[in-house]
Amino acid sequence: MVERLRVFNQCLDGLGQVYRGKGGVRYLQHFWSNPLGKAATRDMELTRLSAGFAVAATPQAPSDTGGDELLCLAQRPVLEGAPAFSEHWQVCESFEELGGKASRAVSATVIFAMDGGQRLDSLARQLHHLRQSRGNALKLVVREMAPTLRYQDEQLLLACGASQIVPFGASLSRFLTMVESIQGYVWRRHLPTDFDALLARLRPLAICGLVAPRAFAEAVQSMWHGVRNGEIVHQLLVLRPAPGLTPLQACSRTVFRRDGDIACVVGEVLFLFLFACRSEGVEQALDHIFQLSWKELFISQEVLAGVDSLTTPAFLDSYLPQPPRSDTAAQLPAQVTSGRLAGR
């Protein structure tokens, strides 16, 4: 709707929207005009009142920047063997040394290296501690030194206070450009006070595969809290099998590899929940789960925006039906089995 209204901006006095994001409910004012002039884009946090919403009080950035706004504290691996780039750079040999120096900074840039040996939870906890104790002027950067971060991991680091994540594969010059681009930046997201609760919201339950409707509903409603807070995105799908095919038959050749990816059969449809999956990643996720062509297994795919449908009586059923053995795939409709065998 917003994009449709944008084309009429010459005819409108203003355009704004309320949305969930950055850890809460927010008001995004795209523009506003009145006899006094025009106001540009503003993004404000809202607080919920009994009668509606109000703009949350935003603390003013301290006038004293601490005198360290030009300082860059960095773990050695992020420099790729290069020496400190200027007198403003201090290179730390360890994660602990960097955390100690950062705990005395006010508005410096602090750059952590994320590789296969660095535990994500430890890094997230350190970011959360620094953001909570040192304030919003500190610029916290994570450089991915190996392809280790998934979407849900990035969202956790951002929710814990990271100002920027430099993806694996970015060249050294690109990395320096990205660091330069956040100078003067003040972190404006809402920081949850309880780190463990935040971690629980952004981590899947230890459950995957085909489960009973009751277990499915309870697990999805539990994992949906991160969506309500605007911290992460999941996908809840309803898949309707092709004629002559039952949901259980469609499940006979599935492989669930990730915790939090679960499915259940309700009536003649298959409900599928994909934890920490953006909309553009749904087709790839389905390719990984279904060993046969899911586009031929199912005639329709509906994405649900919420979990209200999981409160119906059908989801009180605790019975878990067993899918047919995988060797029964030969009994599936010929067009389904031939699609994958033909290399689709």
Side-chain angles (χ1 to χ4, degrees):
M1 179 61 73
V2 171
E3 295 305 318
R4 293 172 61 184
L5 290 173
R6 280 182 185 275
V7 299
F8 301 105
N9 60 358
Q10 298 298 323
C11 309
L12 301 174
D13 290 328
L15 177 61
Q17 69 179 115
V18 176
Y19 72 101
R20 290 187 181 276
K22 302 180 181 179
V25 179
R26 305 186 68 85
Y27 172 70
L28 176 59
Q29 175 186 289
H30 294 276
F31 67 91
W32 202 261
S33 304
N34 61 33
L36 300 178
K38 296 181 181 292
T41 300
R42 290 196 303 167
D43 191 4
M44 295 166 280
E45 182 182 355
L46 299 181
T47 184
R48 187 183 295 274
L49 305 176
S50 58
F53 292 95
V55 175
T58 304
Q60 296 296 319
S63 56
D64 180 12
T65 61
D68 62 354
E69 61 271 15
L70 298 180
L71 178 63
C72 285
L73 304 171
Q75 278 184 265
R76 184 170 294 280
V78 305
L79 275 63
E80 299 182 19
F85 298 112
S86 73
E87 68 275 13
H88 299 301
W89 282 72
Q90 292 185 17
V91 181
C92 300
E93 300 297 333
S94 68
F95 176 79
E96 292 74 20
E97 181 187 358
L98 179 59
K101 288 189 175 183
S103 67
R104 299 186 292 273
V106 176
S107 58
T109 302
V110 184
I111 309 171
F112 292 90
M114 182 67 201
D115 56 28
Q118 172 64 55
R119 285 195 57 195
L120 176 71
D121 291 2
S122 299
L123 176 57
R125 189 179 292 275
Q126 178 68 276
L127 294 175
H128 186 272
H129 169 71
L130 290 172
R131 185 61 72 199
Q132 195 171 52
S133 61
R134 305 309 298 164
N136 291 353
L138 203 64
K139 298 173 284 290
L140 301 176
V141 179
V142 176
R143 186 177 189 195
E144 189 182 17
M145 306 306 298
T148 58
L149 294 178
R150 297 180 296 178
Y151 162 67
Q152 67 199 66
D153 303 329
E154 293 179 357
Q155 295 306 110
L156 173 62
L157 297 178
L158 292 170
C160 286
S163 308
Q164 186 180 70
I165 297 175
V166 181
F168 173 73
S171 66
L172 185 60
S173 60
R174 175 60 179 159
F175 157 64
L176 294 174
T177 299
M178 293 180 68
V179 171
E180 179 64 28
S181 72
I182 63 169
Q183 298 310 302
Y185 169 86
V186 176
W187 195 76
R188 299 192 182 279
R189 291 181 62 156
H190 167 71
L191 183 70
T193 56
D194 189 336
F195 172 79
D196 292 324
L198 172 63
L199 186 64
R201 288 198 299 273
L202 299 184
R203 282 284 174 267
L205 298 177
I207 181 175
C208 71
L210 187 67
V211 298
R214 188 186 193 100
F216 181 90
E218 292 175 350
V220 171
Q221 288 167 341
S222 175
M223 292 186 284
W224 202 260
H225 289 302
V227 174
R228 295 191 183 100
N229 291 336
E231 297 161 335
I232 199 167
V233 174
H234 309 305
Q235 302 297 325
L236 179 58
L237 310 176
V238 180
L239 304 172
R240 188 172 298 278
L245 193 63
T246 69
L248 282 177
Q249 285 177 312
C251 288
S252 65
R253 294 288 292 272
T254 55
V255 178
F256 289 84
R257 299 177 176 87
R258 302 192 317 158
D259 281 349
D261 287 354
I262 55 177
C264 77
V265 174
V266 176
E268 298 302 316
V269 299
L270 182 72
F271 279 76
L272 178 64
F273 176 75
L274 302 173
F275 184 89
C277 179
R278 288 169 287 196
S279 58
E280 59 269 27
V282 169
E283 291 198 0
Q284 183 179 18
L286 294 177
D287 285 339
H288 289 159
I289 291 173
F290 292 96
Q291 294 181 308
L292 299 176
S293 173
W294 59 269
K295 293 182 179 179
E296 294 172 349
L297 285 171
F298 303 100
I299 59 173
S300 69
Q301 168 193 323
E302 179 185 359
V303 180
L304 301 182
V307 295
D308 292 345
S309 60
L310 305 185
T311 60
T312 61
F315 285 94
L316 297 177
D317 186 1
S318 298
Y319 174 68
L320 173 58
Q322 294 300 313
R325 295 179 305 173
S326 59
D327 58 11
T328 61
Q331 302 172 11
L332 298 181
Q335 68 270 21
V336 174
T337 55
S338 63
R340 182 59 58 94
L341 294 174
R344 292 188 181 179

